[in-house]
Amino acid sequence: MTNTGELRIGVFVPVGAQLLDISPIDLFAMLSPQYLTACTLPAPLVMLGTPSMIHYIALPDTGSHVELTASAFLKVSKTIEDPEVQPGLLDILLIPGPDPASTFREEILDFVRAHAAWRGEDGECVGILCICTGIYMLGQSGILTGKSASGPRALIPDLKKKFPTVKWVADKRWVTDGNIWTSGGITNGQEMVAAYIREKLPGPAAEAVLEMAGVGDKGIDYTRSKSGDTLWWLWQIIKAVVVSNKASKKKVV
């Protein structure tokens, strides 16, 4: 991938998704010369910008919009049948997280498989960027078999049970294995996309965008251990029980 042509990106939302999971797509949009110009950045930075064409992809029977969290609705611009989003015509397929209990239709899984498997004559491939619970779609598709991957930390035990052929990594915010990038919960997707931009589109324009967005500084390692993470959650639950009991007593009085 170079920074001289248009970046072609598909955001795959066949059954809805977490609103925050979709937000990293804006980092690619911020790389465009138009955005950099609107931010009144100097011409040398603007010249290094990368334009993008972003498609929001769903199923033919989805309708014109998909529902996200926070009562938001996303307009569908393409379906999996449209020629513009077929394997070989996208540089990136971004998969935000849906309900983790979702069971995906075969046509959804086939779309993911086809993009993950596509290779150009020069070895070019599609970057599969998976955020949070989007990992369940990848797991069901089978494209993670034998690969290293990450997911929401609290769900790693469940992922291990459902997809035992995957090498699950619980201590990283994101994991890269070939053309597949997977991340932990929600805003770790922003950090993953920041790392992807730095690797694939390195340079002053990329750094300027990440600085403006305030992302890309967390690092790949979690600052808290898995056991520390568990203790944090237990403490919050204990506090919640105490607060709830106090509230109940007040109501009785």
Side-chain angles (χ1 to χ4, degrees):
M1 186 187 303
T2 67
N3 63 350
T4 57
E6 184 178 66
L7 201 57
R8 303 162 300 173
I9 308 173
V11 180
F12 194 29
V13 284
V15 293
Q18 179 87 31
L19 180 59
L20 268 177
D21 285 4
I22 292 178
S23 64
I25 193 64
D26 205 26
L27 296 174
F28 292 112
M30 290 172 68
L31 283 168
S32 72
Q34 293 86 350
Y35 183 89
L36 298 176
T37 298
C39 292
T40 67
L41 295 184
L45 277 173
V46 173
M47 290 177 62
L48 295 175
T50 302
S52 59
M53 173 61 71
I54 301 172
H55 303 292
Y56 295 93
I57 309 166
L59 302 177
D61 58 2
T62 297
S64 61
H65 293 77
V66 290
E67 186 172 3
L68 308 177
T69 57
S71 302
F73 287 84
L74 180 69
K75 185 176 181 180
V76 175
S77 56
K78 298 292 177 185
T79 78
I80 59 174
E81 296 180 353
D82 285 318
E84 297 91 341
V85 298
Q86 298 310 306
L89 294 178
L90 294 177
D91 299 301
I92 296 168
L93 184 66
L94 187 144
I95 301 176
D99 182 343
S102 300
T103 298
F104 301 99
R105 289 156 51 174
E106 199 62 24
E107 58 191 316
I108 294 173
L109 302 178
D110 282 342
F111 186 76
V112 173
R113 292 179 189 123
H115 281 281
W118 181 85
R119 294 295 182 273
E121 293 181 358
D122 59 354
E124 184 183 3
C125 56
V126 180
I128 308 295
L129 307 186
C130 176
I131 298 169
C132 197
T133 54
I135 196 66
Y136 283 91
M137 189 186 300
L138 267 59
Q140 290 178 36
S141 74
I143 67 170
L144 296 178
T145 298
K147 293 184 176 293
S148 297
S150 183
R153 233 176 168 189
L155 297 179
I156 292 293
D158 182 57
L159 290 165
K160 286 181 176 179
K161 289 179 182 178
K162 290 181 176 176
F163 312 110
T165 61
V166 181
K167 303 170 187 175
W168 293 107
V169 181
D171 60 349
K172 305 293 182 185
R173 296 186 190 279
W174 69 88
V175 172
T176 307
D177 194 327
N179 63 320
I180 300 176
W181 294 59
T182 56
S183 68
I186 308 180
T187 57
N188 285 324
Q190 294 177 346
E191 299 298 314
M192 180 187 72
V193 169
Y196 181 90
I197 288 173
R198 282 186 168 129
E199 179 175 319
K200 305 295 184 180
L201 299 164
E207 293 303 323
V209 163
L210 299 180
E211 178 64 24
M212 288 190 293
V215 300
D217 294 330
K218 281 185 178 179
I220 194 170
D221 295 304
Y222 285 106
T223 56
R224 193 164 51 209
S225 67
K226 184 65 172 68
S227 58
D229 207 36
T230 301
L231 289 173
W232 184 90
W233 278 105
L234 287 172
W235 179 233
Q236 302 313 309
I237 294 168
I238 291 169
K239 288 197 295 184
V241 170
V242 172
V243 171
S244 298
N245 287 339
K246 288 181 177 180
S248 298
K249 290 178 180 178
K250 287 182 179 179
K251 288 180 181 179
V252 172
V253 174

